[in-house]
Amino acid sequence: MQASIEQAKVEGADLVELCIDSMEFSHISEVDKLIQHPTLPAIVSYRLKSSRKSSDEACKNTCLQVLRRALDLDVEFVEMDYEVASDPLMSEIIYSRSNTKIIVSSYLNGGGKPTTEKLGDVIACMQATGADVMKLEIAVDSITDLAPVFEMLTHCQVPLIALAVGSRGLISQLLGPKFGGFLVYGSLGGKSVPGLPTLVSLKQVYQLEHINPDTKIFGLVSNPVGHSKGPILHNPAFRHTRFNGIYVPMLVDDVKEFFRTYSGTDFAGFSVGIPHKEPAVACCDEVHPLAKSIGAVNTIIRRPIDGKLVGYNTDCESAISAIEDALRERQGINGVASHTSPIAGKIFVLVGAGGAGRALAFGAKSRGARVIIFNRNYERAKALADAVSGEALHFEYLHEFFPEKGMILANASAIGMEPNSDQSPVPKVEALKAYELVFDAVYTPRNTRLLREAAEVGATVVSGVEMFIRQALGQFRLFTGGLAPEDFMRKLVLEQF
């Protein structure tokens, strides 16, 4: 445990929690050594629910012994379960303590969705124990379950910590300081713990010390969301431009319920990812004409003057302009110059008919390309092809489709995205020789299998990173209502990928 404390100090922790219930010790003196020589301020905790290896009575006695010793040694904080704090023996010790602050915690699991009434009752019970700080640890099934938690943080008269367990609870930590949370937790060593940001990301990416009640909330509404690089781009860009905002990943299952729940002006803007780009259109009060024609949004802004949700699509122009610029560079090298789109008249082979696929299809059509769509769900491909006067073919024929040389291939599906980076929508390298340019919207990894194999056969390749940068610049302008620091953001992304 001492090594973990040292690591926490190196990573920038202000405080460490010493979970004594997770230790194996034969005598209280072993605990003394740990408590007496911390290199950081500490919370000493002993959880009954995780330590019941012997009888309940024996566990409780050990718990009381450990916590009493921590209080005697004047550690900064002692955390105990509500059950322990309510014990008459512990109550006497709590009221006779000297400098130590008492954190009383309660774990809520099951019993339906948390409500402000239910949480208020639990908080009142904890407050009655004489707690200096209260802690709610809650199992959540949906990101929308956190709305009453944020309300409690805002209105609670006693310092409150809220920790939502599970991947859908991550924003309980990232947004805690905005709503008045007493502290937040982070995991050590970059270790992935559902519901917890890493300590390194808290210190380097989010820098929560800059967050205050006036901070505007932005985030990626997606499922999955773990692959997103948005936080490492938008948060530093906000600070660079001195814009008071935070950008967080939001793992959303039901997009309509999400926007119904988080309807306040604090939630100011959203990137929209898989699989919500099309359903999110119906959540908007207004939709930009381009996004409406595409039938998908990747950006939603809450308009400050009236709170209405306005949907946009920055995917379309970002992807198509990246492809055009790469083709112009290739043609410039070959001594061919043109002021018209280099896509015009070419066969544009598109893989995927979701939100990103729709953006690419409409963009390619607007430039005069002949759009051919492959999708595992043929009916979706056919519907999109009809919308852009293109053609739909069955997915299994993709590796056999090369009617002419000099085509463009665009992958707008998730094939090849981490953790399945060994996959490619065109697994037969021979088929790639028909393409002059290959674009992959996947940007994790940056250099996908598809792009590597296309480059090997001489095609110009365009990474999804370039599309990501361009669409993020467009989003940032919409988020802030101002200019985006393009050089800063581009450098940041290229350093991180």
Side-chain angles (χ1 to χ4, degrees), residues 9 36 90 95 114 144 231 238-239 242 245 302 322 324 341 344 352 366 397 409 423 449 465 477-478 480 491:
K9 186 175 182 180
Q36 285 178 312
M90 185 53 72
Y95 281 104
T144 55
F238 285 150
R239 293 190 291 270
R242 298 186 178 181
R302 192 178 305 282
E324 286 179 321
S341 172
S366 72
Y397 299 137
L409 173 65
Q423 298 179 2
R449 176 186 165 187
V465 171
R477 295 182 190 105
L478 291 168
T480 63
K491 181 174 182 289

Side-chain angles (χ1 to χ4, degrees), residues 54-295:
S54 53
S55 70
D56 286 359
E57 192 61 31
C59 283
K60 195 165 186 178
N61 287 337
T62 303
C63 173
L64 291 171
Q65 184 183 22
V66 168
L67 297 179
R68 185 183 296 116
R69 187 62 184 143
L71 288 166
D72 290 343
L73 293 171
D74 268 353
V75 298
E76 287 79 12
F77 296 92
V78 166
E79 180 182 337
M80 61 189 74
D81 295 336
Y82 170 69
E83 177 185 344
V84 174
S86 303
D87 186 284
L89 289 175
M90 185 53 72
S91 296
E92 292 179 18
I93 298 168
I94 289 174
Y95 281 104
S96 63
R97 71 190 184 279
S98 53
N99 299 316
T100 300
K101 300 293 186 184
I102 302 297
I103 301 174
V104 175
S105 59
S106 184
Y107 183 75
L108 303 180
N109 185 15
K113 289 179 176 293
T115 63
T116 52
E117 291 78 15
K118 185 187 298 184
L119 296 179
D121 290 343
V122 173
I123 288 171
C125 291
M126 290 193 291
Q127 192 171 352
T129 66
D132 298 296
V133 181
M134 297 174 296
K135 177 180 173 182
L136 288 171
E137 192 167 333
I138 309 170
V140 295
D141 298 319
S142 167
I143 194 170
T144 55
D145 292 347
L146 292 169
V149 176
F150 293 141
E151 189 173 343
M152 288 294 103
L153 284 173
T154 301
H155 296 106
C156 191
Q157 300 302 307
V158 176
L160 178 63
I161 302 165
L163 174 61
V165 180
S167 54
R168 286 157 181 78
L170 177 62
I171 62 170
S172 72
Q173 299 308 288
L174 298 179
L175 301 183
K178 173 183 168 57
F179 294 106
F182 183 69
L183 58 78
V184 300
Y185 290 87
S187 61
L188 283 179
K191 183 180 178 183
S192 177
V193 178
L196 284 187
T198 64
L199 180 53
V200 169
S201 73
L202 286 174
K203 302 302 288 187
Q204 296 182 5
V205 177
Y206 297 103
Q207 296 189 17
L208 299 184
E209 62 270 22
H210 298 297
I211 305 306
N212 58 50
D214 296 324
T215 300
K216 292 298 183 183
I217 300 166
F218 302 86
L220 172 64
V221 173
S222 186
N223 187 356
V225 77
H227 67 285
S228 172
K229 303 297 184 184
I232 66 174
L233 177 61
H234 287 293
N235 287 302
F238 285 150
R239 293 190 291 270
H240 182 78
T241 57
R242 298 186 178 181
F243 182 86
N244 189 7
I246 183 171
Y247 185 99
V248 298
M250 298 171 171
L251 181 56
V252 173
D253 300 295
D254 185 331
V255 70
K256 290 184 178 179
E257 182 189 15
F258 174 83
F259 284 114
R260 278 197 304 267
T261 301
Y262 296 108
S263 58
T265 56
D266 282 331
F267 290 81
F270 311 89
S271 307
V272 184
I274 296 170
H276 301 313
K277 292 187 179 189
E278 295 168 80
V281 173
C283 301
C284 298
D285 299 298
E286 297 176 16
V287 181
H288 186 272
L290 174 63
K292 185 178 288 188
S293 67
I294 293 170

